[in-house]
Amino acid sequence: MKKYVSDLRVVSVEHITDKYVLIKLTQDERLPEVLPGQFVEVRVDGSPSTFLRRPISVNFVDYDANQLWLLVAAVGDGTRRLARLQTGDVLNCMFPLGNSFTMPAGKDEKVLLVGGGVGVAPLLYFGKKLCDMGCRPVFLLGARSEKDLLMLDEFSKYGRVCVTTEDGTAGERGFVTNHSVLGEIRFDRISTCGPKPMMVAVAKYAKANGIECEVSLENKMACGVGACLCCVEKTTEGNVCVCKEGPVVNINKLLWQI
């Protein structure tokens, strides 16, 4: 796919929690095709300690409004700077980067999308794309507490939403792999993004049950085009650059202990 380096205008910055912000961007030209699971590399201006672009998953693309959404966790100098953006500001983005989640073969496949923390971000757009083809997925979203759950109203537009929290303040208490929906439905396909321990647990569940599974890796990515080798992951096919050959990888290619 063709890649673009564009100055996108900030439409709005919504502070969802003290930590997470939803940034909506636009441009005069129609946004290019973006696939679910792809990401952008954002240039952070005004932060003297941030020299490299920051990789941010594409949360959603609203082609009717010509908007690209980024869900950002403000955890470092660069992302905290992004959280201070204002309507009308310009954000330089290189996109779309990486590969995408695999669409099911047909609308009757039962698809489970599992996310944790800011890893829920790419699952919203994927859910929309699945819904467009007539396949309504189940979202299984995990968080430490109710206050850490993100965008539940948006997710509910495209499928059933199941929730776990570690402290039991919302949904079922525990981790995503403990949720009762796993005993209710025999899923054909699982896609997951979030903290590595969660993805490892989901991958183990999928492999034990013979379910096709993809994970979206969150290795540190500096260049976004496979040049700097910062994001290399060892696989059954040798070393791959997650920013170029990923971030979405089938679990059968990973060397995790699953």
Side-chain angles (χ1 to χ4, degrees):
M1 292 179 66
K2 185 176 180 180
K3 297 170 178 57
Y4 300 82
V5 179
S6 304
D7 285 331
L8 303 182
R9 295 192 312 277
V10 176
V11 176
S12 65
V13 179
E14 179 183 349
H15 291 261
I16 299 176
T17 70
D18 292 341
K19 179 179 177 182
Y20 297 100
V21 295
L22 176 62
I23 304 172
K24 297 183 180 181
L25 304 164
T26 192
Q27 63 180 13
D28 293 335
E29 301 78 15
R30 180 174 172 79
L31 290 168
E33 180 186 10
V34 178
L35 302 177
Q38 292 188 305
F39 67 99
V40 306
E41 284 276 359
V42 175
R43 190 182 72 203
V44 182
D45 297 325
S47 175
S49 63
T50 307
F51 303 104
L52 301 172
R53 288 177 180 264
R54 290 293 182 261
I56 307 289
S57 295
V58 173
N59 177 225
F60 196 77
V61 185
D62 182 344
Y63 285 105
D64 291 334
N66 204 41
Q67 292 180 359
L68 175 74
W69 298 6
L70 303 179
L71 182 62
V72 178
V75 294
D77 290 341
T79 49
R80 283 196 293 267
R81 173 66 186 175
L82 295 178
R84 293 196 295 270
L85 288 169
Q86 301 292 321
T87 299
D89 286 346
V90 171
L91 190 62
N92 185 270
C93 298
M94 180 168 61
F95 73 107
L97 301 174
N99 65 355
S100 62
F101 291 111
T102 301
M103 299 296 289
K107 64 180 182 180
D108 294 328
E109 282 196 25
K110 295 180 174 62
V111 180
L112 178 66
L113 307 184
V114 185
V118 77
V120 305
L123 302 183
L124 180 63
Y125 187 44
F126 189 24
K128 167 65 162 57
K129 287 293 190 180
L130 290 170
C131 211
D132 286 347
M133 68 169 286
C135 176
R136 197 163 175 85
V138 173
F139 297 99
L140 178 51
L141 309 178
R144 292 182 179 178
S145 180
E146 181 178 21
K147 63 181 177 61
D148 300 312
L149 292 167
L150 305 170
M151 305 183 75
L152 296 187
D153 289 343
E154 290 292 333
F155 282 106
S156 66
K157 294 177 181 179
Y158 307 111
R160 176 183 171 187
V161 178
C162 301
V163 168
T164 64
T165 51
E166 294 178 28
D167 62 3
T169 51
E172 297 184 12
R173 180 188 292 271
F175 301 113
V176 289
T177 47
N178 305 131
H179 198 282
S180 59
V181 73
L182 298 179
E184 297 172 12
I185 301 174
R186 166 67 187 186
F187 291 100
D188 300 303
R189 180 182 299 275
I190 299 174
S191 297
T192 182
C193 183
K196 186 175 180 178
M198 183 205 77
M199 292 196 293
V200 170
V202 172
K204 286 182 178 179
Y205 169 83
K207 189 165 187 177
N209 290 276
I211 302 172
E212 191 75 12
C213 182
E214 291 180 329
V215 301
S216 181
L217 300 178
E218 296 187 324
N219 298 32
K220 291 183 178 180
M221 293 179 269
C223 72
V225 293
C228 70
L229 305 181
C230 288
C231 62
V232 166
E233 177 81 18
K234 293 181 179 179
T235 74
T236 58
E237 300 176 351
N239 292 342
V240 300
C241 289
V242 171
C243 70
K244 188 175 181 180
E245 285 85 9
V248 180
V249 181
N250 189 289
I251 62 169
N252 294 325
K253 295 182 179 180
L254 295 170
L255 298 183
W256 297 349
Q257 296 301 308
I258 60 174

